[in-house]
Amino acid sequence: GAVVSQHPSWVICKSGTSVKIECRSLDFQATTMFWYRQFPKQSLMLMATSNEGSKATYEQGVEKDKFLINHASLTLSTLTVTSAHPEDSSFYICSATTSGDVEDTQYFGPGTRLTVL
Amino acid sequence: ELKVEQNPLFLSMQEGKNYTIYCNYSTTSDRLYWYRQDPGKSLESLFVLLSNGAVKQEGRLMASLDTKARLSTLHITAAVHDLSATYFCAVDIVIGSGSRLTFGEGTQLTVNP
């Protein structure tokens, strides 16, 4: 089946620093990638949708200048949390879809746990 | 705005018992997904329901979709401890040339011996 990886699995950083999270589709070309954020004991909230070679579409309330998304290739998308603060601490999960999938299934990565001190 | 509501949010049940989790959504959609999440882990896909009346079963879990009622159910039969996890439904809505998932709040299931 389709595999999506994320790197790193977890990261601890100081307040004010920037953190980059990578999302890769390992065995398929991901035409669209999604970034979600999940706070403890809560559901997943979509942050943004990105298509290869295009600017990401951000959900209402998500600061595009703070959460930089780059989808430079059909197998890689990156999320950079700029000037991270403790309230950005969360579980970040990416997912990917491929064109031609009748079920339009999103394949989820294993997630990245970010802790900002 | 699409709303997806799960009921119950917390469920504690004994092994061997049956129970149903409900997922209601507020707008038209023909695609509904069920996922499982274990603590500290990402999502595991359980079922994809693509049409009205769709029913899928895998082991002790069975999912169904009624698009007219905007309702999906996840039925657990003879629960076992290994089913303890959080279960999410998610509704797929087409927006422009793409689509997006909106998740329910999740149902935290604990199966006690």
Side-chain angles (χ1 to χ4, degrees):
Chain A
V3 178
V4 175
S5 70
Q6 282 184 241
H7 176 81
S9 301
W10 57 269
V11 56
I12 302 173
C13 68
K14 292 182 178 180
S15 186
T17 61
S18 294
V19 174
K20 180 185 283 188
I21 302 170
E22 292 186 349
C23 176
R24 292 182 185 272
S25 58
L26 299 186
D27 51 1
F28 66 100
Q29 292 188 327
T31 47
T32 305
M33 285 185 166
F34 303 84
W35 286 96
Y36 295 88
R37 179 167 54 182
Q38 185 181 33
F39 293 108
K41 302 295 184 183
Q42 294 188 23
S43 187
L44 277 73
M45 297 297 294
L46 179 64
M47 299 176 67
T49 303
S50 73
N51 295 293
E52 185 263 340
S54 303
K55 288 185 177 180
T57 302
Y58 290 81
E59 294 298 304
Q60 193 171 7
V62 178
E63 301 174 58
K64 60 179 67 175
D65 294 330
K66 181 171 182 61
F67 298 99
L68 303 179
I69 292 172
N70 185 287
H71 192 163
S73 76
L74 283 171
T75 59
L76 173 65
S77 176
T78 61
L79 167 67
T80 302
V81 183
T82 62
S83 187
H85 291 284
E87 57 266 29
D88 298 322
S89 298
S90 188
F91 193 43
Y92 292 86
I93 305 174
C94 72
S95 71
T97 61
T98 185
S99 62
D101 182 344
V102 175
E103 295 185 339
D104 205 21
T105 302
Q106 288 192 23
Y107 301 97
F108 285 84
T112 296
R113 189 163 303 281
L114 170 63
T115 302
V116 185
L117 302 177
Chain B
E1 180 186 341
L2 171 63
K3 291 185 179 180
V4 182
E5 296 181 337
Q6 288 182 233
N7 181 46
L9 299 182
F10 298 92
L11 174 58
S12 178
M13 56 191 297
Q14 284 191 310
E15 282 191 328
K17 298 295 185 181
N18 305 329
Y19 206 84
T20 300
I21 299 171
Y22 298 89
C23 175
N24 289 93
Y25 53 99
S26 61
T27 193
T28 302
S29 173
D30 288 332
R31 294 173 182 267
L32 190 137
Y33 304 80
W34 283 96
Y35 296 94
R36 168 182 172 145
Q37 186 178 37
D38 291 297
K41 305 289 187 180
S42 186
L43 300 185
E44 173 190 349
S45 179
L46 294 176
F47 299 108
V48 179
L49 302 170
L50 299 178
S51 61
N52 186 42
V55 177
K56 289 193 175 179
Q57 182 165 4
E58 181 71 36
R60 300 174 187 273
L61 301 178
M62 182 173 70
S64 66
L65 178 63
D66 181 343
T67 58
K68 294 180 181 178
R70 298 177 183 171
L71 170 68
S72 180
T73 62
L74 180 66
H75 186 73
I76 303 158
T77 302
V80 293
H81 180 68
D82 286 350
L83 289 179
S84 297
T86 299
Y87 293 84
F88 291 96
C89 64
V91 176
D92 194 16
I93 296 293
V94 174
I95 298 177
S97 60
S99 64
R100 53 168 290 182
L101 288 181
T102 299
F103 284 82
E105 308 99 321
T107 296
Q108 185 175 321
L109 171 65
T110 303
V111 181
N112 303 303

